[in-house]
Amino acid sequence: MVRLDNPEQWKKTIIGYSTLGILAIGILIALVSIIPYYNHLQSDAEQQLIAALRSRTMVLEQFLSKCRDVTLQVTSRSQIKKSLSAYYHGEISRQELALYTAERLKEALNPEAGVIGITRFDRDKQALVQVGAALPQECPCVAEDNSGREAIHGPALIEGTPVLLVSAPITTATGDVLGYDTVIFRTDGLRHILEDKTGLGDTGGVLLARVQGEQGEWLFNLHEASTPSTFPIDTKDPVGATLLKASEGQSGLYNPHFVLAPHHIIAYGPIPDTCWVLLVMMSSDKFYAPIRVQTSLLAGVILGLIVLGVLAITLLLRLLTGKIIIHASEMEAEIRRKTLALEKELQERRQMQTALQLAKEEADVANRAKSAFLANMSHEIRTPMNAIIGIADLLWETPLNEEQKKFVHIFRDAGNNLLALINDILDLSKIESGKQVLQPVEFYLDNLVNDTIALFSTRAQEKGLELTVRLPDDIPRLLLGDVGALRQVLFNLLGNAIKFTETGAVSLHIEVADPVVSPSGATADPNPPHFPGQPVHLRFSVIDTGLGIPPEWQDRIFDSFTQVDASLTRRFGGTGLGLAICKRLVELMGGQIWVDSEPGKGSTFTFTACMVALPPPHLPPAVSVENRLPESAGSSEQAPEPDGRHRRETGAALPPTATKSR
């Protein structure tokens, strides 16, 4: 992070760079605005020059049209045509014709209209009579074709005055030529057009010329010479190039935009029905002078606005940057302070984390020591307890009176309860210390179920409960797994179901389960214990109609030393370790355990376990353990065959109080 060691220097730097940036942006905006404006002014000036050319061309056309009309009026008089016809028929002499024609032509002279002379020729183009100014000898004065149209000749000089000659044939109604008239006109109107420099400046001008082959001739340029002057046409010269284009009937504008040296901007075009061309010229200095003035004015206005904007923003920045720098300094100090506090807090957290790790390691060591101590103590206590219970059993078999039997019965029950507590503590300590491992062996599921049900049938009979088993035929019977862990889980669940059920029934349901997801939504262990053979996931459900478990306790009952109600401990006994041991044993077998319960209606404890299904052997299995139970166990029938034939035929070898449902 940049430190604001010198706030005043930072303030000057920010203002300086901001001013330069704003100035650069303003200049860029000015250029973007001025260039299109400059092009627009230049285009307008070019259009004005072209308009000047068109207006002068129109005036020239009007002047020439007037001259043609006057000439046609002279040649169209019927009396003149009759006199010429009479002359050709020999009715009058040439002298009489000349006298008569002279009288008529004098009437047509009109100096105010510009007509200063008329000469009549016969059809052989011989001069017949002349009135007014005489024709110059060097100028062709008669139309060379018989098209019946008037022709413009000249310009020519008569007594130092430039004149225009217009000739037209005299024709009959049938188109026969009787003669020719050539009318001489003053060129005051043309001189006025050529000398008009309105909008062209002092160096501009209007030039009238004609092209004959490779020669050009200026017409009526009396401000430069007293007679029309000819010159060779140079196509590299702008004037020569525009003359050729105009003589070819083209109109346009010559303006080399990127030439820095002084030059002329020329608008050019032809004069219709003539061989004349008109050039309107203007020097580049005069042409661009108003454009530069207006562009400079706009640039000055924009530059002034930019300067005012820069000054205003500079003043505003002086006010803002001071506050910003002060605020930035305060923020920097605050950030520095919080950074130090955060570093201190991180250091404390690292130390706390290290202390917690050490405490955890010490707790793990103490926990393992506790588990080892409990395991050792349980072994040490269980050995004399077995002896005490054994002596109590032997004493029970001796002749006793009723009071002695009562004392021995209490003594035996207390010893068995104490031994069960010691066994639970021993199992839990073995699991927590990591010493509990699976011991897979081959076993028959039917034998395990029969043995387990046989052990609880007497207790179920005493409480008047119906004890049932559902074992479908599609479940494999010969399995490979830890039969001791499975038996212990079933013992705990069935024992709890019978303990907390006063009326109704207790059922054990076994079925093939989904290896991934359990019905309650719990996910099975993705890495179950691996045994050789085909793995199979079995689901065991112990269903009772007992007290039920409130929903808020259903996730806590699998914790160690946890019971739903303390009063139940006084009523039914127990340490709260059974379900915790079941949970750990089920997890060792690659399964999950859960409960679905509703208070007052009963509970369903379900767990899954991963076993390995084995093919049945050729020889029958050993006799079930239930055949070796004493008479009080309630089971004396033979165990079922491994393939389940005996079960399907007779309903399975279950104790008298147990029933089987398909």
Side-chain angles (χ1 to χ4, degrees):
M1 187 174 73
V2 179
R3 291 182 176 274
L4 302 177
D5 297 328
N6 191 345
E8 191 64 29
Q9 183 64 31
W10 272 96
K11 180 178 179 181
K12 292 180 180 179
T13 302
I14 292 173
I15 294 174
Y17 281 114
S18 301
T19 303
L20 290 176
I22 295 169
L23 186 60
I25 294 173
I27 293 173
L28 182 61
I29 294 174
L31 290 176
V32 172
S33 303
I34 290 174
I35 291 175
Y37 183 69
Y38 179 87
N39 293 333
H40 174 71
L41 293 177
Q42 178 178 276
S43 177
D44 286 348
E46 291 175 349
Q47 293 300 322
Q48 291 176 6
L49 193 60
I50 293 175
L53 171 69
R54 291 174 179 172
S55 64
R56 287 166 173 79
T57 301
M58 187 179 299
V59 174
L60 277 172
E61 289 180 2
Q62 292 174 355
F63 176 79
L64 295 177
S65 177
K66 179 181 178 182
C67 294
R68 290 189 182 98
D69 293 341
V70 172
T71 303
L72 289 176
Q73 291 176 4
V74 173
T75 59
S76 63
R77 292 188 176 186
S78 59
Q79 294 87 350
I80 293 176
K81 293 181 180 181
K82 289 180 180 180
S83 62
L84 285 172
S85 179
Y87 167 71
Y88 291 131
H89 287 87
E91 296 177 0
I92 59 174
S93 63
R94 186 178 183 85
Q95 185 177 2
E96 292 176 340
L97 175 63
L99 292 174
Y100 179 77
T101 303
E103 291 295 331
R104 296 292 162 297
L105 292 180
K106 286 180 182 179
E107 297 175 358
L109 290 177
N110 186 3
E112 295 180 359
V115 180
I116 60 175
I118 302 174
T119 302
R120 176 159 292 180
F121 297 87
D122 59 15
R123 59 187 176 187
D124 296 328
K125 299 182 181 180
Q126 297 296 321
L128 183 63
V129 65
Q130 175 183 322
V131 294
L135 293 173
Q137 297 180 355
E138 70 279 1
C139 182
C141 300
V142 180
E144 297 180 356
D145 57 10
N146 297 327
S147 61
R149 289 181 55 83
E150 65 280 357
I152 297 176
H153 307 279
L157 289 176
I158 298 177
E159 297 179 358
T161 302
V163 296
L164 183 66
L165 309 177
V166 181
S167 64
I170 303 171
T171 59
T172 63
T174 58
D176 297 331
V177 178
L178 299 176
Y180 300 92
D181 281 341
T182 300
V183 183
I184 302 172
F185 293 92
R186 287 201 308 266
T187 58
D188 296 339
L190 288 176
R191 180 178 298 181
H192 176 72
I193 295 172
L194 298 177
E195 291 179 355
D196 183 14
K197 296 183 179 181
T198 304
L200 303 179
D202 298 336
T203 58
V206 180
L207 300 178
L208 186 64
R210 63 186 171 191
V211 177
Q212 296 178 346
E214 296 182 355
Q215 294 291 321
E217 182 181 2
W218 296 120
L219 307 178
F220 308 108
N221 57 339
L222 300 180
H223 61 284
E224 295 181 359
S226 59
T227 60
S229 58
T230 61
F231 58 92
I233 296 176
D234 184 7
T235 56
K236 296 182 180 179
D237 181 64
V239 175
T242 54
L243 277 176
L244 286 178
K245 289 182 178 181
S247 66
E248 295 172 356
Q250 300 181 30
S251 299
L253 182 77
Y254 170 80
N255 184 13
H257 294 160
F258 301 102
V259 176
L260 299 179
H263 59 280
H264 281 88
I265 291 90
I266 305 172
Y268 57 89
I271 304 299
D273 298 328
T274 67
C275 60
W276 297 355
V277 296
L278 186 65
L279 304 182
V280 178
M281 304 172 60
M282 190 175 184
S283 67
S284 58
D285 293 337
K286 293 294 183 180
F287 182 83
Y288 286 106
I291 298 176
R292 295 191 183 101
V293 170
Q294 295 186 50
T295 305
S296 300
L297 181 61
L298 177 62
V301 172
I302 294 176
L303 185 60
L305 293 176
I306 292 173
V307 172
L308 291 176
V310 169
L311 292 176
I313 293 176
T314 301
L315 293 176
L316 183 61
L317 286 174
R318 285 182 178 274
L319 297 176
L320 293 179
T321 50
K323 296 181 179 180
I324 292 173
I325 291 174
I326 293 173
H327 185 62
S329 301
E330 294 175 353
M331 288 183 63
E332 183 182 5
E334 182 68 16
I335 291 172
R336 192 179 296 115
R337 184 182 64 79
K338 290 187 176 182
T339 301
L340 294 175
L342 182 60
E343 291 177 353
K344 182 178 179 181
E345 184 178 353
L346 289 175
Q347 183 66 24
E348 292 176 354
R349 288 193 177 186
R350 293 191 191 99
Q351 294 176 355
M352 185 182 299
Q353 186 176 6
T354 303
L356 289 175
Q357 184 65 25
L358 292 175
K360 180 179 179 298
E361 294 176 357
E362 293 176 356
D364 291 340
V365 172
N367 189 44
R368 287 194 294 270
K370 177 207 70 173
S371 299
F373 172 77
L374 289 176
N376 293 331
M377 288 302 297
S378 298
H379 279 290
E380 296 298 329
I381 296 173
R382 187 165 56 175
T383 300
M385 283 303 303
N386 285 329
I388 293 172
I389 294 173
I391 294 300
D393 290 338
L394 292 176
L395 183 60
W396 180 264
E397 298 297 332
T398 61
L400 299 172
N401 56 34
E402 292 301 325
E403 185 178 5
Q404 290 174 335
K405 286 184 178 182
K406 178 180 178 182
F407 293 154
V408 172
H409 179 72
I410 295 172
F411 180 60
R412 290 179 62 192
D413 289 342
N416 287 326
N417 291 335
L418 182 58
L419 183 59
L421 174 61
I422 293 172
N423 288 334
D424 289 343
I425 294 175
L426 178 60
D427 292 339
L428 183 63
S429 63
K430 287 175 62 178
I431 294 172
E432 289 183 347
S433 63
K435 294 181 179 180
Q436 180 75 26
V437 295
L438 295 180
Q439 297 178 357
V441 295
E442 296 182 7
F443 67 95
Y444 285 95
L445 186 59
D446 301 82
N447 293 347
L448 174 63
V449 172
N450 286 328
D451 293 345
T452 304
I453 294 301
L455 292 176
F456 292 100
S457 60
T458 302
R459 293 174 56 188
Q461 278 184 337
E462 292 175 353
K463 298 186 71 172
L465 302 177
E466 182 182 5
L467 184 60
T468 62
V469 177
R470 187 176 69 183
L471 183 61
D473 293 338
D474 60 347
I475 296 179
R477 294 306 197 267
L478 183 59
L479 301 172
L480 178 65
D482 193 330
V483 66
L486 182 59
R487 180 186 291 111
Q488 186 171 355
V489 174
L490 290 175
F491 280 4
N492 278 324
L493 296 181
L494 287 171
N496 286 342
I498 294 174
K499 179 194 301 185
F500 295 105
T501 302
E502 298 297 334
T503 60
V506 175
S507 301
L508 173 62
H509 295 177
I510 305 173
E511 55 189 345
V512 177
D514 188 343
V516 178
V517 180
S518 64
S520 67
T523 304
D525 187 358
N527 299 306
H530 297 284
F531 303 127
Q534 181 64 35
V536 60
H537 290 260
L538 299 180
R539 180 165 55 237
F540 299 83
S541 299
V542 177
I543 306 169
D544 64 60
T545 57
L547 301 177
I549 302 172
E552 63 271 14
W553 281 91
Q554 292 180 12
D555 294 333
R556 300 167 55 186
I557 58 174
F558 295 101
D559 297 336
S560 300
F561 304 103
T562 300
Q563 286 189 335
V564 176
D565 191 350
S567 62
L568 297 178
T569 304
R570 296 188 296 270
R571 179 181 175 186
F572 296 101
T575 61
L577 294 176
L579 292 178
I581 295 173
C582 289
K583 179 180 179 182
R584 286 162 175 76
L585 291 176
V586 168
E587 290 174 351
L588 284 175
M589 290 186 290
Q592 295 285 332
I593 187 170
W594 64 94
V595 62
D596 295 319
S597 181
E598 184 176 353
K601 293 186 178 181
S603 304
T604 300
F605 283 84
T606 306
F607 71 93
T608 60
C610 181
M611 307 290 174
V612 177
L614 300 177
H618 298 291
L619 296 177
V623 177
S624 174
V625 177
E626 65 178 345
N627 292 324
R628 297 193 298 271
L629 293 174
E631 289 295 333
S632 61
S635 176
S636 60
E637 297 182 18
Q638 188 178 359
E641 295 295 330
D643 58 0
R645 291 193 304 271
H646 187 200
R647 174 180 296 277
R648 287 193 294 268
E649 294 173 358
T650 64
L654 295 176
T657 57
T659 62
K660 176 174 176 296
S661 63
R662 293 271 178 182

